[in-house]
Amino acid sequence: MARGQLRVYLGAAPGVGKTFTMLEEAHRRKGRGTDVVVGFVETHGRTHTARMVGDLEVVPRRQVSYRGTTFEEMDVDAILARRPEVAIVDELAHTNVPGSRNTKRWQDVQELLAAGITVLSTVNIQHLESLNDVVQQITGVVQRETVPDAVVRAADQVELVDMTPEALRRRMAHGNVYKPEKIDAALGNYFRVGNLTALRELALLWLADKVDEQLDRYRADNRIGGTWETRERVVVALTGGPEGDTLVRRAARIAARSKGAELLAVHVARSDGLAGADPALLAKQRLLVESLGGTYHQVIGADVPQALLDFARGVNATQLVLGASRRGRLAQIFAAGIGVSTTARSGPIDVHLVTHEQIGQGRRRPVLTGQAALSRPRRIAGFALAVFGLPLLTLMLHLLRGDLALASDILFYLAWVILVALVGGMWPALLTALAGSLLLNYFFTAPIHQFTIAETENLLSLVVFLVVAVAVSAVVDTAARRTREAAQASADASTLATVAGSVLRGDRPLPALLERLRETFGLESVTLLERRPDAPPSPDRPHDPQSWRIAATVGGKPCAAPGEGGTDVPIDDDLALVLRGHPLPAADRRVVEAFAAQAALALRQERLAQEAASARPLAEADKMRTALLAAVSHDLRTPLASAKAAVTSLRSHDVAFSDDDRDELLATADESLDKLGRLVANLLDMSRLQAGVLGLALTEIGVEEAVPRALDELGPHARAVRVRIPPELPAVHVDPALLERVLVNVIGNALRFSPPDDPPQITASEHAGTVQLRVIDHGPGIPEGAREHMFQPFQRLGDRDNHSGVGLGLALSRGLAEAMGGTLAPDTTPGGGLTMILTLPSAEASGNTAGDAATEAEAAEVADRAIVERLRRRPATEQENLR
């Protein structure tokens, strides 16, 4: 059975028209004769959307009972039994009611697709799992209903339903999205122009990445190697010469002309050396490229123009920037430069030849392109000199035979052998030496025109000639080979220097190192394998995947054992670097071995960093204990001393106390012991927070209940606090005891610093599924740069003598607030002072995640009421829409 297709309508925010557009498509398909049913559509009370359902067949929803309440969910079994061609399923990221067939709606959709049913669905950009933290940073709201990116990326079609922020806000103001009583809150919070613009950009960029993936897959499937100018990518070629800065800046200007263009710099390190490549200049140019927002790359290639074009085509570049040749005019007559050769082969890639001040001021050395000591053209030239030059030389010497002796003839032949050796190397010179000795014997050694030698002296001369000719040929060939090896070593060193720089600048050196190795040699994948310590001895360990585990990998399919790769480099008994792709020549293996050694070092550094990270909490805990011992001495002694003095006085028979005095002493003892109890409770809770073992008993409570309790706890001096809490404010989902502790600390801090004639004020409001409590004072305030310092344990701003408390209240309050899913943040009071903003999750918003919490035994009873409340107030996602 063929799998159904998934079409997703992606929106930047609620209200852009995803469901409406999806229903329009459903009607179009129905009009073409397609069997279409509505599996689940959430109208959110919008009349236009409800009317759009029209005459589409709607599959009845399934009734789900949970904790005594009945709710509606999509009936997957009914849709499967109906077997339509197309099913409409709204809100792909929705969380199903506990007890449903699947936890998430996208899992229901996967079942329909597997049954061959095509599904049309919707999702907002804020519900994609990978963007959850980004959306939180932009909007300040955590999206609790998410869908894995892979589910949406696997969709056959993703259509963006786009709308400008201004148009969406107008639609909302007209009442087409939310009810009138919710419009102002939505426009002032989640639906601000800045938020909508950022979310719209996220949606466009995410969709552009998916389109790039589809394009790359299509090009690979159809083996399309040419450049498709879907996005401007400008590649600038760097030689390491002084003109590099000019080229980089010019390429950056070209890239800046197109929105979203990419800048890539590439340096080709020739396997036979690239004259004029200054490592210091390359390092400087690499930093310039990265400062301009580009990336730096280095590849190895014998043919520079071809290597440049291969790299440009590999990254789908549209433009290539080269510097005009630095060679002199005479050199350009004999050989075309890199720029000319690249332009001739570039095809659809635009090549820019940029002029600079170095034109004609430098001359490159002759380029060696073959794999032997000397290039093939030079060897051919050497053989040509041997074949055609020796007859001419013999003819010339034959004409001068009466004027020259045999020694002179031998010197002429020896000079020709040296000339051939300089041009063509050993083998042409050997051929010249052998042929020359025969010609000398036949034409110039008595008896003439015979291959015999009458005199011993002549024989010795010919032998010496042949030995000298062979020796000279060998020396020239060896010198050429050594030059090539030195150039190869230089290229290898340049590559390793580039790799080292890239790794040192990266946050994750091991993946960066492996990626550079893969990129430099054009490999499919690079894998660092580590031998399992518990693996049993195996005679075929290099080919046994059970004996190895992957420590790190980049590229395509990783190798599970050393024997699976094209090249493997053992590092030590436990580590091996495995390369998948084309086989590497032996000359490149030493570079790979250097990579392997650095990879092993990077792996050990990562392991040490992880161990250090594990030890850091222990060090912090030890630091906290030290600070605790230093800070609590006065705070423990003061209430203990006060309580002991009061009790001792009461027990004394030497003084007769009046009833008023006795009541005052008892009140002093009671107050001191209460203060001591609060201090000990704070210290215990701070320790539990640091250890991550603070117990929570989350339930619903009204803010109008919690604030009076905190004020009562603070005593009579808290009666002056002004409280303004709206009666319609929703309940919060918190631990009541911990909330009271937070309020006591925050309000007490405000009372301590407020002027006597201007007491603190407490206000409350609802904001994006949360309840915000503001404790406002008009005291001295706190400088903005010191606000984070105020939340550190055992710290008090402007105090160093430990006489105003242990400095734990605000640190504990923030920790308790975050433990309950809230935040505590300072702000400046208009007119001077400090405002502490306590943000807590409302009971309605907390219901979004209660379905998952209900599956945990220890949290089930606590979350029941929040779940029921959330499901009773369908649609569930409307709370997120207000954010």
Side-chain angles (χ1 to χ4, degrees):
M1 178 185 299
R3 182 178 175 84
Q5 294 188 345
L6 174 62
R7 182 169 184 171
V8 176
Y9 292 86
L10 176 68
V16 296
K18 302 179 302 298
T19 304
F20 194 90
T21 306
M22 177 179 64
L23 291 172
E24 284 184 332
E25 175 64 19
H27 282 287
R28 281 194 293 270
R29 297 198 179 198
K30 181 182 178 182
R32 295 196 298 264
T34 306
D35 184 14
V36 181
V37 301
V38 175
F40 195 99
V41 166
E42 185 58 75
T43 64
H44 299 290
R46 300 164 190 164
T47 56
H48 296 291
T49 304
R51 284 200 302 265
M52 196 62 195
V53 176
D55 59 350
L56 293 175
E57 178 184 348
V58 179
V59 176
R61 300 181 181 183
R62 183 169 57 93
Q63 304 297 314
V64 180
S65 296
Y66 182 73
R67 306 292 185 183
T69 307
T70 301
F71 309 100
E72 293 183 343
E73 287 289 359
M74 182 175 70
D75 194 337
V76 180
D77 291 327
I79 298 175
L80 292 174
R82 170 67 174 73
R83 297 198 59 80
E85 295 180 68
V86 178
I88 308 300
V89 181
D90 205 3
E91 295 187 352
L92 189 62
H94 170 75
T95 301
N96 293 330
V97 176
S100 298
R101 178 175 186 151
N102 294 305
T103 304
K104 297 286 188 177
R105 183 166 291 166
W106 64 263
Q107 295 171 324
D108 296 337
V109 169
Q110 293 297 318
E111 288 194 34
L112 300 180
L113 295 174
I117 301 173
T118 294
V119 176
L120 307 184
S121 190
T122 63
V123 71
N124 280 326
I125 192 67
Q126 68 262 29
H127 295 299
L128 295 180
E129 183 65 44
S130 67
L131 299 177
N132 189 269
D133 57 336
V134 180
V135 174
Q136 181 183 0
Q137 292 174 2
I138 295 172
T139 65
V141 178
V142 179
Q143 301 294 330
R144 293 181 173 86
E145 288 192 328
T146 60
V147 59
D149 286 47
V151 174
V152 185
R153 288 190 181 277
D156 299 275
Q157 297 181 61
V158 177
E159 179 177 334
L160 179 65
V161 182
D162 189 29
M163 179 175 289
T164 64
E166 294 77 10
L168 179 56
R169 287 170 59 85
R170 284 196 301 270
R171 173 181 287 185
M172 181 170 293
H174 293 158
N176 295 330
V177 180
Y178 291 136
K179 296 179 180 179
E181 62 270 16
K182 297 182 178 180
I183 293 176
D184 290 339
L187 290 175
N189 296 302
Y190 190 88
F191 287 85
R192 295 193 297 268
V193 173
N195 288 1
L196 296 176
T197 303
L199 293 173
R200 187 186 186 202
E201 183 178 11
L202 280 178
L204 292 170
L205 291 175
W206 189 92
L207 188 61
D209 288 340
K210 176 173 172 55
V211 172
D212 272 348
E213 291 178 3
Q214 292 176 330
L215 180 61
D216 291 341
R217 185 164 57 249
Y218 176 82
R219 285 163 52 86
D221 293 342
N222 293 272
R223 298 181 180 179
I224 299 174
T227 300
W228 285 9
E229 300 183 11
T230 55
R231 180 187 295 185
E232 289 290 345
R233 290 183 176 89
V234 181
V235 174
V236 54
L238 301 177
T239 65
E243 74 283 358
D245 290 358
T246 302
L247 301 182
V248 170
R249 291 189 175 93
R250 181 58 182 274
R253 290 196 296 271
I254 294 174
R257 295 171 187 167
S258 301
K259 183 68 174 178
E262 298 180 21
L263 174 64
L264 303 93
V266 60
H267 170 66
V268 179
R270 299 193 56 131
S271 57
D272 53 2
L274 180 59
D278 188 334
L281 285 176
L282 277 178
K284 178 182 176 183
Q285 291 158 14
R286 178 177 65 241
L287 294 176
L288 177 61
V289 170
E290 294 173 351
S291 69
L292 294 173
T295 56
Y296 180 85
H297 308 264
Q298 182 160 314
V299 296
I300 295 178
D303 187 347
V304 174
Q306 190 61 45
L308 285 175
L309 292 172
D310 288 344
F311 176 83
R313 294 187 181 109
V315 298
N316 201 24
T318 57
Q319 303 188 62
L320 182 59
V321 178
L322 302 173
S325 178
R326 287 184 290 155
R327 301 184 308 156
R329 295 182 179 180
L330 184 62
Q332 296 182 35
I333 294 175
F334 291 100
I338 292 176
V340 175
S341 301
T342 304
T343 304
R345 308 180 199 174
S346 62
I349 301 177
D350 296 335
V351 178
H352 301 264
L353 284 178
V354 179
T355 59
H356 50 84
E357 296 179 353
Q358 305 297 322
I359 294 178
Q361 297 183 11
R363 173 183 171 86
R364 297 188 183 276
R365 298 177 182 176
V367 175
L368 306 177
T369 58
Q371 293 299 317
L374 295 175
S375 64
R376 183 178 179 183
R378 287 186 58 175
R379 296 199 305 273
I380 293 176
F383 282 113
L385 285 175
V387 173
F388 298 106
L390 281 178
L392 294 175
L393 178 62
T394 302
L395 177 61
M396 182 190 71
L397 293 177
H398 182 71
L399 295 176
L400 299 174
R401 186 172 56 182
D403 300 325
L404 298 176
L406 177 62
S408 299
D409 296 331
I410 291 176
L411 289 176
F412 274 106
Y413 276 96
L414 183 59
W416 195 258
V417 171
I418 294 174
L419 176 63
V420 172
L422 291 173
V423 174
M426 175 181 289
W427 296 109
L430 287 178
L431 174 63
T432 305
L434 290 174
S437 64
L438 294 176
L439 291 173
L440 281 170
N441 184 15
Y442 189 83
F443 288 101
F444 303 104
T445 304
I448 303 299
H449 301 151
Q450 293 183 20
F451 289 103
T452 59
I453 302 175
E455 298 180 9
T456 305
E457 181 180 357
N458 293 338
L459 175 63
L460 181 60
S461 298
L462 290 176
V463 171
V464 172
F465 161 79
L466 185 61
V467 171
V468 171
V470 171
V472 170
S473 302
V475 169
V476 172
D477 187 83
T478 301
R481 192 177 302 278
R482 294 291 181 266
T483 301
R484 181 179 182 82
E485 291 174 354
Q488 178 69 48
S490 176
D492 294 345
S494 178
T495 299
L496 291 175
T498 301
V499 169
S502 301
V503 170
L504 289 175
R505 291 191 304 274
D507 295 329
R508 303 182 62 202
L510 183 55
L513 183 70
L514 299 184
E515 180 59 30
R516 279 294 183 181
L517 173 59
R518 189 191 67 81
E519 179 183 85
T520 299
F521 293 100
L523 300 169
E524 180 182 340
S525 68
V526 178
T527 306
L528 181 63
L529 294 177
E530 185 177 28
R531 187 171 62 87
R532 296 181 182 272
D534 55 347
S538 174
D540 193 25
R541 192 173 72 179
H543 299 276
D544 182 16
Q546 301 301 322
S547 301
W548 301 87
R549 63 185 177 194
I550 297 176
T553 183
V554 296
K557 180 181 178 181
C559 299
E564 293 183 8
T567 304
D568 69 284
V569 180
I571 302 175
D572 54 29
D573 293 340
D574 298 324
L575 291 174
L577 189 66
V578 187
L579 316 179
R580 184 191 294 274
H582 60 83
L584 294 181
D588 292 334
R589 188 176 179 88
R590 59 183 177 181
V591 180
V592 176
E593 290 174 350
F595 272 96
Q598 293 299 319
L601 180 60
L603 177 63
R604 295 187 180 97
Q605 288 176 343
E606 283 193 358
R607 298 277 172 82
L608 290 174
Q610 293 172 358
E611 293 176 3
S614 301
R616 191 174 296 113
L618 298 177
E620 292 294 333
D622 184 70
K623 181 179 178 181
M624 190 190 74
R625 283 193 295 269
T626 302
L628 171 64
L629 294 175
V632 301
S633 56
H634 176 272
D635 297 275
L636 286 174
R637 285 200 304 266
T638 300
L640 282 174
S642 299
K644 181 174 177 56
V647 173
T648 301
S649 299
L650 289 172
R651 294 185 61 190
S652 174
H653 299 289
D654 299 333
V655 180
F657 293 102
S658 64
D659 292 340
D660 292 339
D661 292 337
R662 185 176 291 104
D663 291 341
E664 184 177 354
L665 288 173
L666 289 173
T668 300
D670 183 62
E671 182 181 352
S672 299
L673 292 175
D674 287 343
K675 181 179 180 181
L676 181 62
R678 287 195 298 269
L679 174 62
V680 173
N682 284 345
L683 292 174
L684 290 175
D685 283 342
M686 195 66 201
S687 299
R688 295 189 184 102
L689 279 173
Q690 293 283 344
V693 295
L694 181 68
L696 297 176
L698 300 178
T699 186
E700 292 182 23
I701 184 174
V703 175
E704 68 279 2
E705 301 177 37
V707 172
R709 294 179 186 176
L711 294 176
D712 292 341
E713 176 71 17
L714 288 169
H717 66 291
R719 295 173 183 172
V721 176
R722 294 168 292 174
V723 180
R724 291 192 307 162
I725 299 178
E728 70 276 7
L729 200 67
V732 292
H733 190 243
V734 295
D735 186 314
L738 295 185
L739 175 59
E740 183 178 338
R741 298 280 302 287
V742 173
L743 292 174
V744 167
N745 283 327
V746 174
I747 299 173
N749 189 71
L751 284 168
R752 188 179 306 117
F753 292 101
S754 292
D757 58 343
D758 194 357
Q761 180 179 354
I762 301 175
T763 65
S765 61
E766 182 184 8
H767 170 65
T770 63
V771 174
Q772 287 188 347
L773 276 170
R774 294 175 177 263
V775 181
I776 306 168
D777 70 63
H778 293 277
I782 296 176
E784 187 172 350
R787 288 179 179 174
E788 286 303 315
H789 183 69
M790 65 188 282
F791 289 105
Q792 297 178 8
F794 316 114
Q795 301 290 334
R796 292 178 305 281
L797 295 177
D799 182 83
R800 294 291 182 273
D801 59 1
N802 281 350
H803 287 285
S804 59
V806 75
L808 194 61
L810 290 180
L812 177 62
S813 298
R814 170 177 273 190
L816 294 177
E818 292 175 350
M820 294 184 293
T823 60
L824 180 64
D827 197 5
T828 301
T829 301
L834 181 68
T835 298
M836 298 299 296
I837 305 174
L838 176 61
T839 304
L840 300 169
S842 68
E844 298 174 353
S846 298
N848 290 336
T849 55
D852 293 333
T855 61
E856 303 176 10
E858 63 181 25
E861 295 302 324
V862 175
D864 282 347
R865 282 188 293 168
I867 295 174
V868 173
E869 179 67 20
R870 169 243 175 179
L871 294 173
R872 184 180 293 118
R873 299 182 182 222
R874 289 290 230 176
T877 57
E878 187 166 330
Q879 297 300 327
E880 291 188 6
N881 297 345
L882 287 174
R883 298 174 184 173

